[in-house]
Amino acid sequence: MCLVCCVWRCTKKVLVQPRLQLIRSIVPQFRMSLTTVTITPLELPEIRTTIGKFLDRSDLAQCLYVCKAWHASFLPLVWSTVSILRSKGRYPGVEAFKSHSHLIRNLAYDPRSWRAYESIHCRNVSTLHVHCYRYDSPVIGQHDQLRQLSIEGGRWCGRTGIYPCWKPTNSLPKLSSLALKKVKIDLDSTEKFWNLCTGLESLSIRLTNIARFPDKSMSFERIEKLVLFPRSGHSFEQWLAFITQCPNLVSLDWVREGDGSPASTDIFAAHLAKDTWPKLCEIRLPNFSLSDSQLSKIVNGMQQIKSLDVAGCTFGALSLAALRPHFSILRQLKLESAVFETGSSIIPEVLASCPQLEILIAGGVTSEDILQGPPWVCERTLKTLYVCIIIPPGEDMDHHQRLVLKRISRLCYLEDFSLLGGSPGRTEARIRLLHLGKGLE
């Protein structure tokens, strides 16, 4: 007998057999317990917590009174999001807020309503929204766990020209996302502001007054998502110089003020061609009013495109040819109010060539192009479809509607779609707007 067989027999006798006997003695008792004890799904805390994520605040409050187990499960959900805003009217009591402050994850307040609570430390807040009024200065305290910060001025701040002034601090060590809207960064605070931005992954600047742009020597290597809606006072070239200081951009949403010049667009396209942003794959350029030639230069300059939103631009043969190499990875295509130079054949080609497409917002397409076009490769991925289905005059509208809806019913995961659109004054019949939960029966 070999050595291996001897070792196996000894191991089986000493270790394996006693454990097998123990399991055989336990299994019948376990089977018996399953027949005598019944557990409903709502008795499991994990199930209650999952259901609670889909309930509004009033329903969650009602669940607290069912029993102690439900109270323990739903109380963190009730206090996870707290709003202390004058526009809401009702605030939590100061003592209740203090005793449950450790449960708060998302907090929204305005400085005037917050004065009664400012001495309370909410140590676990990860998302903070501050809504300021005309002469309020947003004061952000010590938040060790804060990751997302949003500061927004009132609706009328833009009319009066008086923006709340924010003075950034160094008390936000984990901040990764910052959104500013109708806020002022004065000259004394610009250095701290740009130093804070060096550690961000997402930055949104909307209608915000910034006294000075960062030094050209600064680099914002961590910023991956950038949203810019500039206010008058800074040129296109100044914003473009700042964008070039973000080499690892993945997503760019840039609203340009005014029409701009073709030369500035060419400079932007040249930066794309030079791989200034090699990771950039999601781009939104509303209000750029690009021609087909200008848009094709921008598309050609990008190494990969997963999301393209060029509402209001001219989308023609050059842009379509530049976009074709990206069809295999394209997830979102938004051409709302775009001018199509190549007719409605763009939409059937996109539906038939983009296997990962999730969102398509485009212009008009005839019912014949939908019905007679090639098979759609995005039937199991498309979730949002906004197009204008044009039924030619003289055709049987009801019959065409049924055929079009039958074709669209193959989109298994469609959640929201509209087949109503086009320019005013058109006489063609159009299919009505439909909103779906999931799929089309």
Side-chain angles (χ1 to χ4, degrees):
M1 183 180 298
C2 64
L3 180 61
V4 176
C5 296
C6 294
V7 171
W8 164 244
R9 288 193 175 186
C10 295
T11 304
K12 182 178 179 182
K13 183 176 181 180
V14 176
L15 297 177
V16 179
Q17 290 182 349
R19 283 169 172 73
L20 290 175
Q21 294 176 0
L22 179 62
I23 293 173
R24 292 191 185 99
S25 63
I26 292 177
V27 168
Q29 299 177 11
F30 179 69
R31 290 176 179 173
M32 185 179 299
S33 63
L34 288 178
T35 59
T36 56
V37 179
T38 302
I39 300 177
T40 62
L42 290 178
E43 292 183 50
L44 300 175
E46 297 83 357
I47 300 296
R48 292 195 295 265
T49 302
T50 303
I51 293 175
K53 295 178 182 179
F54 298 92
L55 303 179
D56 57 25
R57 192 175 183 84
S58 59
D59 292 334
L60 289 172
Q62 294 295 325
C63 293
L64 297 178
Y65 300 99
V66 175
C67 62
K68 291 183 178 180
W70 281 43
H71 186 278
S73 296
F74 290 103
L75 185 64
L77 297 175
V78 171
W79 283 94
S80 64
T81 301
V82 176
S83 177
I84 304 177
L85 299 169
R86 285 192 293 175
S87 58
K88 301 297 181 180
R90 298 182 62 183
Y91 313 146
V94 176
E95 292 300 325
F97 183 89
K98 182 176 181 180
S99 60
H100 299 96
S101 60
H102 64 285
L103 299 175
I104 300 175
R105 300 293 185 271
N106 307 307
L107 178 62
Y109 67 81
D110 64 73
R112 299 185 185 183
S113 304
W114 179 248
R115 290 170 185 169
Y117 306 85
E118 60 184 0
S119 62
I120 303 174
H121 179 50
C122 303
R123 61 180 183 272
N124 294 321
V125 171
S126 59
T127 302
L128 177 62
H129 300 272
V130 182
H131 298 253
C132 302
Y133 297 92
R134 185 179 303 183
Y135 298 106
D136 292 337
S137 295
V139 179
I140 312 300
Q142 179 70 32
H143 294 284
D144 298 334
Q145 303 300 321
L146 189 64
R147 297 184 179 275
Q148 299 181 18
L149 173 61
S150 172
I151 304 176
E152 180 178 352
R155 291 183 299 175
W156 35 258
C157 284
R159 303 174 187 172
T160 61
I162 302 175
Y163 283 28
C165 183
W166 179 48
K167 297 185 180 297
T169 63
N170 299 323
S171 60
L172 306 172
K174 295 186 178 181
L175 189 67
S176 62
S177 176
L178 175 64
L180 302 178
K181 183 178 181 181
K182 295 182 179 180
V183 181
K184 179 181 178 181
I185 308 295
D186 59 20
L187 188 60
D188 297 334
S189 303
T190 52
E191 184 177 355
K192 287 185 178 180
F193 170 71
W194 293 119
N195 286 332
L196 178 65
C197 292
T198 57
L200 299 178
E201 297 176 3
S202 174
L203 175 62
S204 175
I205 302 176
R206 297 175 180 269
L207 301 175
T208 294
N209 283 337
I210 303 178
R212 186 177 61 190
F213 277 85
D215 295 332
K216 294 182 179 180
S217 59
M218 296 187 68
S219 178
F220 305 90
E221 297 180 352
R222 296 191 61 185
I223 293 182
E224 297 181 352
K225 182 178 181 180
L226 185 60
V227 179
L228 298 177
F229 192 158
R231 190 176 181 271
S232 58
H234 298 296
S235 65
F236 178 91
E237 288 73 17
Q238 286 177 307
W239 285 110
L240 181 58
F242 165 63
I243 298 174
T244 58
Q245 295 175 252
C246 308
N248 294 318
L249 271 184
V250 176
S251 174
L252 174 62
D253 183 346
W254 189 6
V255 180
R256 185 174 64 178
E257 184 181 8
D259 294 336
S261 62
S264 60
T265 303
D266 292 340
I267 295 173
F268 178 53
H271 278 288
L272 288 169
K274 292 188 299 184
D275 290 341
T276 304
W277 309 283
K279 298 180 180 179
L280 185 63
C281 60
E282 300 176 3
I283 191 167
R284 179 175 182 265
L285 302 173
N287 200 32
F288 266 59
S289 302
L290 301 173
S291 66
D292 183 34
S293 176
Q294 292 173 327
L295 181 58
S296 65
K297 291 180 181 178
I298 291 177
V299 175
N300 272 321
M302 299 180 63
Q303 292 187 1
Q304 55 180 350
I305 300 178
K306 295 183 179 180
S307 177
L308 179 65
D309 184 350
V310 286
C313 298
T314 301
F315 196 93
L318 296 177
S319 301
L320 181 61
L323 186 61
R324 282 194 181 103
H326 307 278
F327 276 173
S328 61
I329 61 173
L330 189 65
R331 296 181 181 272
Q332 298 184 18
L333 180 60
K334 299 181 181 180
L335 305 175
E336 186 179 4
S337 302
V339 179
F340 293 92
E341 291 186 345
T342 57
S344 64
S345 59
I346 293 178
I347 298 174
E349 181 177 352
V350 170
L351 292 171
S353 307
C354 303
Q356 299 187 39
L357 191 66
E358 298 177 357
I359 298 176
L360 176 61
I361 300 177
V365 58
T366 63
S367 56
E368 286 84 355
D369 287 338
I370 291 292
L371 298 176
Q372 301 175 9
W376 298 345
V377 297
C378 56
E379 292 182 352
R380 302 190 65 83
T381 59
L382 195 64
K383 298 179 180 179
T384 300
L385 176 64
Y386 275 65
V387 294
C388 172
I389 304 295
I390 301 175
I391 300 177
E395 299 290 342
D396 186 349
M397 186 177 66
D398 292 338
H399 178 66
H400 273 258
Q401 284 184 351
R402 294 190 190 96
L403 294 178
V404 170
L405 291 176
K406 183 178 180 181
R407 180 69 184 271
I408 295 176
S409 66
R410 301 174 186 174
L411 303 175
C412 306
Y413 296 96
L414 193 64
E415 298 175 357
D416 186 18
F417 83 106
S418 168
L419 306 182
L420 177 64
S423 59
R426 297 285 293 274
T427 58
E428 292 89 351
R430 295 179 178 89
I431 299 178
R432 64 186 180 277
L433 173 68
L434 298 174
H435 292 283
L436 308 177
K438 186 177 181 181
L440 178 66
E441 296 296 337

